[in-house]
Amino acid sequence: MIRAFSILWLAVFIPIALLLFPTAINPVQHVTEYFSEGFYKKVYTVNFEMLTEKLSNYPQEKWQPVIKEYETHFGYPLKLQPMSTYQSNRQSYDAIQGGEITFLFGDPMALVQRVGKSDQVIYFALNESTELAVLNQAKGTLFLAAEDLRNHPQSQWVQIIENTNTQIPFRISLKKDDKLPPEAKEALTNKPRKIISYTSTNGQIELLAPVIDNVWLHIEDDLSHLTQIKLIATVCAFFVFFISIAMVMWVYPLWRDLKRLVKTANDFGQGLLSKRASTTKMSVISQLSDSFNKMADNIERLIASQRELTNAVAHDLRTPLYRLRFALEMIEDDQIAEEQKEKYRKTVHSSIEDLDHLINQNLLLSRYTRVADISHFSECCFAEQLLDEIEQFKLEHPELETRFYCSPDLKERSLFIDNKGLMRAIKNLLTNASRFAQSEINVSFKIEDQQYKIIIEDDGCGVPVEQSKYIFEPFSQLDNQERGSDKGHGLGLAIVKQIMNWHNGSATVDTSASQGARFVLSWPTSLNRQPK
């Protein structure tokens, strides 16, 4: 179970981790970058064309004020940068140098393009960076804090800030121009005396708000980043926990039912044929359990029938073997007359024929007792072959009046059947009818209630109702008469039953209109290519 759960857990959470934590090797990030680049380039190409055209109307030294003027109309940063800014990324630098619109996948995403043949590029941000988001959130608060300081004497500012630091979760301090780090001075180049944000050398976002000339209110905002990390971590932890619980609730019943099924299969394999799989209908493997139980039923039934067949064969083999042994002993007796020995020789030949017939019938029954082999099934026009068989039967039994009726819609219809098997079943029934019929046999082939039906009737003594249930069992004959090769061994009807099982059908017997036997072979018209 642990291995199955681990595989499922990894299969669920690895894709989620790839979505939540983008890295350079993350395929999700590459896909996002590919589609974003295609979309943004198509949408904003016209912006670069128009801005380049505007700048071409001015000398290069006036481009910066023009861009600053247009920047006020854009929601995200728009600026003019030297092309050398992108020298660290050779691929992007070569694309920019060639005059292409280049997509930068970062924080924020942006598009850049070289202005004509100059050494300047237009930078256009496509979304809000983390740095800009922090600035927008804190800008109003910083303005109020700076204004509040200006309302107090400068000698009290340090004390006011210390008092404030005891009440808030981040640190505020005052900095002079000469104490500002290079990153801050660079940010102030484009926005002097304005509230700004910048990223320090350790990757932390810091804020500056002007109080008076040469004095700035400085904030180290590590709280927002830590809070965001904690929030994401908490959400992820709850998500992983609840999804893991859900997976356990799904995997455990599956694992439990599979363990039960494995134990049942092992017990069944050890010879406990009565063992069956037990699962609820709501179980994931309920269909598998049902299939196993059906297989077990079939195997148990086959083994039981084989055991019964073996016992019956052993019983039936004794009679001809005893006759054969007795006849051979008598032939070897010198005191027996030659005429009597000749009778015993005939007994030997009769016993051998009896054994040969019994063995052949057993081989046939053994073949049809197995699970149906699809290779024996094919499309054929069975009505034509049935008519040929009836005609041959008439030639062999001229003393009997044999009539055949075939439904008109079946005369040319193609059926998917085991042709040889079904024909053998009909031959066995015709042979059986020829033994008991007085003068006539009627055969019909038709469709009733979505079933193909072949009916063979005779005017013989019929089958008693109390014996109709057992007549299709191996080695079963009417009136418990002695079985022999001249009258059969009670295997013919058993073979008929097994052949009809192959066709998902049945073989039944009742009384005909002339009080003889009426055998009915039926199988579904919807028989597909997967017989039992």
Side-chain angles (χ1 to χ4, degrees):
M1 175 184 173
I2 295 176
R3 183 172 60 180
F5 177 78
S6 300
I7 293 173
L8 182 61
W9 196 91
L10 291 173
V12 170
F13 288 111
I14 285 179
I16 294 175
L18 291 176
L19 290 172
L20 293 177
F21 306 105
T23 62
I25 61 172
N26 192 334
V28 177
Q29 178 170 325
H30 290 293
V31 172
T32 304
E33 181 177 354
Y34 174 79
F35 284 102
S36 297
E37 181 177 3
F39 172 76
Y40 287 125
K41 279 186 177 181
K42 289 181 181 178
V43 172
Y44 294 108
T45 297
V46 65
N47 288 10
F48 287 97
E49 293 176 355
M50 296 173 67
L51 287 171
T52 301
E53 184 179 353
K54 294 288 184 182
L55 292 177
S56 64
N57 296 326
Y58 300 90
Q60 186 169 340
E61 59 270 14
K62 292 187 177 181
W63 286 358
Q64 196 68 252
V66 172
I67 291 296
K68 284 186 178 181
E69 180 183 347
Y70 282 106
E71 182 186 11
T72 58
H73 303 288
F74 285 81
Y76 302 128
L78 173 70
K79 52 190 175 182
L80 201 64
Q81 296 176 326
M83 195 164 61
S84 58
T85 306
Y86 301 96
Q87 282 184 334
S88 59
N89 188 331
R90 191 65 191 176
Q91 184 177 358
S92 297
Y93 184 76
D94 291 341
I96 294 170
Q97 197 172 31
E100 299 179 19
I101 296 178
T102 304
F103 178 73
L104 303 178
F105 188 74
D107 182 23
M109 291 186 291
L111 293 173
V112 296
Q113 186 181 34
R114 185 180 183 183
V115 183
K117 299 296 183 181
S118 69
D119 61 347
Q120 299 292 307
V121 296
I122 298 173
Y123 173 93
F124 174 53
L126 301 170
N127 60 346
E128 188 176 51
S129 65
T130 304
E131 183 180 307
L132 183 59
V134 172
L135 176 61
N136 289 335
Q137 291 172 2
K139 188 181 293 185
T141 303
L142 287 173
F143 178 81
L144 291 175
E147 186 179 55
D148 183 62
L149 286 178
R150 287 193 292 269
N151 292 333
H152 291 84
Q154 190 170 353
S155 59
Q156 298 178 10
W157 289 0
V158 174
Q159 185 62 41
I160 292 172
I161 289 175
E162 288 180 359
N163 292 336
T164 305
N165 283 335
T166 61
Q167 301 173 13
I168 58 177
F170 48 85
R171 181 169 181 76
I172 300 176
S173 62
L174 292 173
K175 285 185 180 292
K176 294 185 177 182
D177 286 344
D178 57 349
K179 298 295 184 180
L180 295 178
E183 309 88 60
K185 292 178 180 179
E186 183 180 351
L188 287 170
T189 302
N190 297 325
K191 294 183 178 180
R193 309 310 302 170
K194 287 188 177 181
I195 299 175
I196 63 161
S197 64
Y198 64 93
T199 304
S200 65
T201 53
N202 60 4
Q204 184 173 301
I205 298 176
E206 300 185 8
L207 304 170
L208 287 176
V211 183
I212 59 174
D213 291 341
N214 194 37
V215 178
W216 297 83
L217 188 63
H218 173 256
I219 295 179
E220 298 177 2
D221 184 22
D222 58 346
L223 180 65
S224 299
H225 183 65
L226 291 175
T227 303
Q228 187 176 16
I229 291 176
K230 290 179 181 179
L231 176 62
I232 293 175
T234 303
V235 172
C236 289
F238 275 106
F239 179 78
V240 169
F241 176 75
F242 286 114
I243 293 297
S244 298
I245 292 296
M247 289 195 301
V248 169
M249 293 175 64
W250 184 83
V251 170
Y252 176 74
L254 175 63
W255 173 81
R256 179 197 59 201
D257 293 341
L258 283 174
K259 291 289 287 184
R260 289 178 182 173
L261 183 59
V262 168
K263 185 179 184 303
T264 302
N266 289 334
D267 291 342
F268 190 85
Q270 294 296 324
L272 301 176
L273 302 183
S274 61
K275 288 289 185 178
R276 295 294 182 271
S278 59
T279 56
T280 63
K281 292 296 182 182
M282 298 299 293
S283 174
V284 178
I285 64 167
S286 60
Q287 288 185 327
L288 179 61
S289 298
D290 291 342
S291 297
F292 175 84
N293 290 340
K294 289 179 182 178
M295 177 199 70
D297 290 340
N298 289 335
I299 292 175
E300 186 178 21
R301 185 169 58 252
L302 287 174
I303 291 176
S305 63
Q306 290 293 337
R307 185 183 296 118
E308 181 183 352
L309 180 62
T310 301
N311 294 336
V313 168
H315 177 271
D316 270 47
L317 282 173
R318 290 193 184 99
T319 301
L321 283 174
Y322 289 156
R323 288 204 309 263
L324 184 60
R325 178 183 293 176
F326 177 75
L328 289 173
E329 289 176 354
M330 298 305 295
I331 289 174
E332 292 175 356
D333 191 346
D334 295 335
Q335 298 181 1
I336 300 297
E338 188 63 30
E339 182 179 349
Q340 192 67 23
K341 288 183 178 181
E342 184 62 29
K343 291 182 180 180
Y344 286 125
R345 290 190 185 96
K346 291 181 179 178
T347 301
V348 168
H349 290 296
S350 174
S351 298
I352 291 174
E353 290 178 0
D354 198 3
L355 286 171
D356 182 63
H357 183 267
L358 176 61
I359 291 171
N360 288 334
Q361 289 291 89
N362 273 284
L363 290 174
L364 282 173
L365 181 59
S366 176
R367 172 193 170 190
Y368 290 111
T369 303
R370 298 193 306 267
V371 177
D373 186 354
I374 191 67
S375 64
H376 293 132
F377 284 70
S378 61
E379 298 282 349
C380 67
C381 184
F382 188 67
E384 294 180 0
Q385 300 185 31
L386 182 57
L387 177 60
D388 292 340
E389 180 62 30
I390 299 298
E391 294 299 324
Q392 181 65 31
F393 180 80
K394 287 181 179 179
L395 294 177
E396 294 174 358
H397 300 276
E399 74 281 5
L400 297 174
E401 182 181 357
T402 305
R403 292 187 286 268
F404 175 59
Y405 167 78
C406 179
S407 179
D409 55 344
L410 290 176
K411 290 183 178 180
E412 297 182 357
R413 179 177 295 193
S414 180
L415 278 63
F416 182 69
I417 57 173
D418 175 9
N419 183 32
K420 291 183 178 180
L422 197 55
M423 193 60 70
R424 177 168 296 282
I426 292 170
K427 287 180 180 179
N428 286 0
L429 290 179
L430 288 174
T431 300
N432 187 75
S434 67
R435 290 201 193 106
F436 298 98
Q438 299 295 323
S439 60
E440 65 178 32
I441 296 175
N442 295 312
V443 181
S444 56
F445 181 30
K446 54 188 177 181
I447 298 179
E448 288 182 357
D449 302 326
Q450 303 298 315
Q451 296 271 323
Y452 293 117
K453 291 191 176 182
I454 296 176
I455 304 171
I456 299 177
E457 303 174 278
D458 62 59
D459 58 351
C461 58
V463 178
V465 176
E466 62 274 10
Q467 295 191 27
S468 61
K469 297 180 181 179
Y470 311 105
I471 198 171
F472 292 101
E473 299 301 320
F475 299 98
S476 175
Q477 289 189 335
L478 295 182
D479 302 324
N480 197 28
Q481 57 184 308
E482 181 184 357
R483 297 190 287 266
S485 59
D486 57 333
K487 295 182 180 180
H489 293 274
L491 295 178
L493 294 182
I495 292 172
V496 171
K497 177 184 176 182
Q498 292 301 327
I499 291 173
M500 297 317 299
N501 285 341
W502 272 38
H503 291 76
N504 297 345
S506 63
T508 59
V509 61
D510 53 25
T511 303
S512 67
S514 57
Q515 301 304 308
R518 179 177 181 269
F519 287 88
V520 181
L521 307 182
S522 61
W523 70 99
T525 57
S526 58
L527 178 66
N528 56 27
R529 298 182 181 274
Q530 293 181 344
K532 288 195 290 189

